[in-house]
Amino acid sequence: MIQGKRILVSGGAGFLGSFLVARLATVNRVTVVDDLSTGRRENLRGIDCKLVKARAWGGAACALVKKGGFDYIVNCAANGYIPVSVARPWFDFENNLVQPVKLLETVRNLKKRPRVAVVSSAAVLGEVRSLPMRETDLCAPVSPYGAGKLGVEQYASVYASVYGVPVKTIRLFPLFGPRQRKQLIYDLLVKLHAPGPDLRVYGTGRERRDLMYVEDAAAGFAALLEKGAFDGSTVNLCTGKGVSVARVAEELMRASGIRKRIVYAGGMRAGDVKAMIGSTTRLKKSGFAAVTPFEEGIRRTVTWFRSVP
Ligand SMILES: NC(=O)c1ccc[n+]([C@@H]2O[C@H](COP(=O)([O-])OP(=O)(O)OC[C@H]3O[C@@H](n4cnc5c(N)ncnc54)[C@H](O)[C@@H]3O)[C@@H](O)[C@H]2O)c1
């Protein structure tokens, strides 16, 4: 892992960001910039880092970039939830595309440029014909969120090739774990703990997701900061394996000790796709592979879920 560096992490008080900051801060000097819109101060409790409450990338955050002498900047800050982008596309566009490009533009104008990692999502691809999903596959997003993230990837590539900004895109596949208060696993846990005999699940149960436990994602992210070029290219951060929604529901019931009748509601929510499984070919070059078994990740997530008031 990189050591002794000055690192700025936007969105560092959020789900992924806080696990990444915890890992990096053990051997680096980390500053977090977060507006605490979905993130929480408590996610950073006990971690040796500085939290600046500000919008990324408004005036105060950009001033930090200009004066901070950072070696690395990680842009995690974003709306991280597809349904929000469907309900509020303009909000998503401003937060998820305009703001990261502002960061790239600020870095472009620096004499000593930090290395930048921007975060994208498998949602850039849309419904694909072949699996696993490679970084070079044609992208056809089906949500404002996916379109915004695709824009980020393309701007990162252009800022690297046209202006020489040292940037890479890390394309995340769905994550899960403690502190996540959205998406499939959290939604199912909430429903599982609600009264009633049925567990209503969107779709057919046959949809498949490449689910990575969040601490593995933080370790993989750190590996990608250390290894591989900052040349505008994109690398998947994924397990390479698909888990069906039916298996997720079963595993959650087993780990929770709550049994309900699963009722598949059919249909799909706007922005959802049938399968999302990533190729690990590029990721493997960093030497990283996910290590947490799916069942263990679920067990830790259930333990956390039960501990929150
Ligand atoms: N969690 C996943 O499964 C997943 C999958 C693919 C991609 N991603 C991407 O990973 C990143 C982190 O997602 P997450 O799941 O941790 O979400 P999250 O909502 O927990 O974290 C986002 C953090 O950014 C902060 N934030 C949002 N907009 C901001 C702004 N303009 N200025 C400052 N702070 C801001 C929030 O307060 C929060 O702390 C996002 O870019 C998301 O799109 C996540």
Side-chain angles (χ1 to χ4, degrees):
M1 182 161 70
I2 50 172
Q3 294 189 17
K5 303 293 184 195
R6 291 171 61 97
I7 308 174
L8 180 61
V9 181
S10 78
F15 165 56
L16 168 65
S18 60
F19 282 96
L20 179 61
V21 169
R23 175 166 277 268
L24 294 174
T26 54
V27 286
N28 296 281
R29 284 172 65 191
V30 180
T31 302
V32 169
V33 55
D34 198 301
D35 64 3
L36 301 179
S37 50
T38 58
R40 295 163 177 241
R41 274 180 202 280
E42 72 210 44
N43 289 346
L44 296 173
R45 197 177 293 143
I47 301 173
D48 183 13
C49 66
K50 180 176 167 198
L51 170 63
V52 177
K53 185 174 181 243
R55 178 167 164 78
W57 295 96
C62 285
L64 261 180
V65 172
K66 286 177 199 158
K67 293 196 189 125
F70 293 102
D71 301 300
Y72 289 84
I73 300 181
V74 175
N75 189 66
C76 271
N79 157 47
Y81 198 30
I82 290 175
V84 170
S85 83
V86 173
R88 300 175 67 195
W90 189 257
F91 166 78
D92 186 87
F93 167 70
E94 287 205 310
N95 230 25
N96 287 16
L97 181 53
V98 175
Q99 300 307 326
V101 176
K102 249 168 130 179
L103 167 65
L104 294 173
E105 181 62 8
T106 306
V107 171
R108 176 173 86 87
N109 289 307
L110 294 180
K111 276 210 182 90
K112 184 176 172 290
R113 291 163 167 174
R115 292 177 154 191
V116 179
V118 293
V119 176
S120 180
S121 159
V124 296
L125 286 144
E127 202 70 78
V128 293
R129 295 222 172 108
S130 69
L131 294 167
M133 298 151 102
R134 292 184 179 80
E135 292 86 346
T136 47
D137 285 350
L138 186 70
C139 292
V142 292
S143 63
Y145 173 84
K149 291 291 190 186
L150 180 56
V152 170
E153 292 193 5
Q154 293 183 334
Y155 272 99
S157 167
V158 165
Y159 267 74
S161 61
V162 177
Y163 307 113
V165 170
V167 55
K168 73 164 68 173
T169 298
I170 298 180
R171 190 188 276 175
L172 298 177
F173 281 64
L175 312 180
F176 73 102
R179 300 180 200 153
Q180 187 179 38
R181 294 166 195 269
K182 58 182 181 317
Q183 295 186 13
L184 175 69
I185 289 178
Y186 181 75
D187 290 350
L188 289 180
L189 277 172
V190 170
K191 288 183 195 170
L192 200 56
H193 287 77
D198 294 346
L199 178 65
R200 269 181 81 77
V201 181
Y202 283 108
T204 61
R206 292 189 295 277
E207 299 79 6
R208 284 183 299 155
R209 295 287 175 269
D210 185 327
L211 289 160
M212 184 179 273
Y213 184 63
V214 65
E215 288 183 77
D216 284 352
F221 209 113
L224 291 170
L225 288 181
E226 186 185 10
K227 304 260 174 66
F230 284 70
D231 59 357
S233 60
T234 295
V235 56
N236 286 345
L237 183 48
C238 58
T239 68
K241 295 178 195 131
V243 180
S244 72
V245 169
R247 166 129 189 262
V248 172
E250 281 298 335
E251 200 56 45
L252 284 171
M253 287 200 286
R254 202 186 56 75
S256 307
I258 303 171
R259 190 126 289 277
K260 292 197 180 203
R261 189 171 58 119
I262 302 177
V263 179
Y264 291 106
M268 276 190 351
R269 289 191 293 187
D272 268 356
V273 294
K274 290 196 187 97
M276 222 182 231
I277 301 168
S279 157
T280 55
T281 305
R282 282 191 187 176
L283 177 62
K284 276 186 190 144
K285 291 185 187 145
S286 72
F288 169 80
V291 294
T292 310
F294 175 65
E295 300 77 10
E296 174 60 18
I298 289 288
R299 195 189 62 72
R300 292 185 205 166
T301 309
V302 168
T303 304
W304 163 79
F305 184 82
R306 289 186 159 160
S307 73
V308 291

